Amino acid sequence: MPRSSRRVSAAGSILAAVTGPLFAAVSQGHAQGADPEIEAAGDDDVIVVDGASRRGATLSDIEPELVLTEADIAAYGVTTFSELLAIIAAETSSGRGRRQEPPVPLINGRRVAGFRELDNYPVEAIARVEVLPEEVSLEYGFSPNQRVINFILKPNLRIVPLNNRIQSSSDGGSVGQTTNLTNFFVNGERRRSLSGTFTTAPTILETERSITPIDSPEAQRFRALTPELQEWDLGATWSRGFGVGGVATFNGAYDKTESTFRVGQLFSVPGEVALQTRDAENAFLGLSVNSGLSKNTWSFAARVEHDNSQILTDPLLGASPDATEGKRSGTNATADYILNRRLSSSEAGPTTLSATVSVASENQTSVALSGMNRSEIELDRQSASLLASLNRPLDIRRGAYGDIILNANLKVAELSDVGTLISTGAGITWRPVQRVQIIASYNQEEEPRPLDEIAAPRIETPQSEVFDFAQGASVLATVISGDNPDIRSDRRRVAKVSLQVKPWEKREFTLNTDYTTNVIDGEARVFSVLTEAFEQVFPDRVIRDENGALLAFDQRPVRVDTSERNQLRTGINWSKQLKAVRLNPNRRSTRRRSGRPGAIRASVYHRWTLKDEIDLGGGLAPLDLLGGDATSRFGGTPEHAIDATMYRWNNGWGVYASARYRSGTEIQTGADVLEFSDNLNVILSVSYEFNFSDWMLDRFGFLDDTRVTFGVANLLDDVVEVRDANGDVPLAFQPELIDPVGQGWRFELRKRF
């Protein structure tokens, strides 16, 4: 059966099959009440009881939304911190950010210089992971639009893992490989790591998929669906303690990416392939210094980052005879000093003040070349800001009303290219009873756009597939990408109410739900779909010939008057410890887990978008992204998004399954309509650690400290199906163009020395 005709008609049934055991297990009521922190100290397991002085606790009194133990993480079958973050993205995402910013990272409750410090740390170093709401980020010098993820490391570990992963598409045409070697050591506050990663991914050609070309079958052999890719990534970290509980960390990283994409026939030599090559490199140095925990704590973080990128497109047959080139180079230096001070104490708790002073200097230069035409952008920004956040517990009739903490925050920033930006906010955290937490907050923010985005050079990619709604047909046209340096900042208003309930004291069951309304004025938005509404408001972004045929579509960002999104997000997490078989610690393995408990966990997160509208101005009615309008070529905004995961780890076996469901959307414009089907993506992986098999180690000693993983992505090979008003699939929306890989598999071998 061709992929274009494969629809998942029983999405609800499959989701129920994946998530049903969650509700069955909860109803049975067999969950055990233990919530230990399992930390490896050398070769022995240490169980640390969670309490007021718990190691690695954050500065905040707000309860985590999600806690993962060592066994939970083992079931995922991932290798590095960055892979773990990718697989729990549904649990850590926030509806408050402009650009889906990643969560704020902490190590042992302390601030780091950025994700680059811990990108390639091995997951074996983690004792526990805590995911906290956005309000906690204020105490670490960040605006409250990112969740906080706190990694608590094991106190004593030395590990040198070598990891090799092979992955491919089940439809053939692509076998990629990733190899990583890391040397990691931690002993209390002393920590060091050195890691290197090399990744390759071959190209997938149009001729390797069942695609009907817009132009001619002969042209297909000159075009690719995915680029040929090579990546190098190096990173190093060195950390030492000082004074009483203080920690200083230095880290550096360098990565380089090279990709080659076949875009058509070469203009000057017909029969030869025209290429679009992309090269990028980034160098990073960071420093973070954290004081010991006391009445007054402070931290300092500084980073310097330099990056270069270049995109070169050969001239194509039938298009302009000129090659196009875009280059960008930038350097960014920032420094932050954060002071957390306890102003007073009462029966209700301490009154605390968090103050952050930040300074930054950035330079970005970009050059775009097309034949004799040259355009250059050079941008500089110097900035200074002050962020203050005050937490005040209420001490009135505490026994009757529970615990109430008020928060107020203010940020003032002065930028050389934008001027003065002011952000304010307030919130309340209420715990009416022990296992219920309610948070309400409102923030009004003025924020600058990142300078590296603004400086992106103009890039022309000829003969790209575009669906032209004015003509009702798929065409080949030049697509222009880059950015708009005229849009420097926006203004956002965010209101949020969240509820967390842990109904049972001795069962690990948590319900989190939050309602968020997000309004942005003057936002920069990219329209990758050419609708009649967009062309009416921004006619200069569309170039047509005298007959109305589309020649070029400029997809660089435009400023919209207002955008508004209202969203209800609900998550259920359930977990249970499992009894482990006690192993003989005198066997060959150098790192046996004697009696290490296992875990089973399930979670379901449902995001219900209630409103998503954009006012383009120009006298038009706002675009309704839930009701037939769109900014993306992949359709409007799904009303419902469900992410369900279940995993089980015990005695060396780890099984992980996830289901990602997105409801269907449509694009309506004039007499035309495009319907985008529901999509259900199921991932399954199974891993095994040979340390837990005495029989295998007695016979094959080289398998000591070795793990194997086999996984399948997009198990159902489900791809969004697009049909027009006649029920036909437009050529620009063929399933293999939307998702060339489809179902994929991976095999991974991980050896620890």
Side-chain angles (χ1 to χ4, degrees), residues 372-448:
M372 300 298 294
N373 299 321
R374 173 189 173 95
S375 61
E376 184 173 348
I377 300 174
E378 185 170 355
L379 303 174
D380 287 284
R381 173 181 290 170
Q382 286 75 45
S383 62
S385 65
L386 171 65
L387 170 63
S389 176
L390 179 69
N391 289 327
R392 168 71 176 176
L394 294 184
D395 199 13
I396 53 173
R397 298 192 62 186
R398 181 169 176 257
Y401 298 107
D403 297 329
I404 300 176
I405 301 176
L406 303 180
N407 170 268
N409 55 86
L410 169 68
K411 180 179 180 180
V412 180
E414 185 70 29
L415 295 90
S416 59
D417 62 325
V418 178
T420 303
L421 301 178
I422 298 177
S423 301
T424 58
I428 179 172
T429 300
W430 177 33
R431 297 192 191 94
V433 293
Q434 183 179 359
R435 291 182 292 277
V436 176
Q437 177 176 270
I438 300 172
I439 300 176
S441 62
Y442 177 81
N443 290 275
Q444 182 172 286
E445 301 177 354
E446 295 179 328
E447 290 288 337

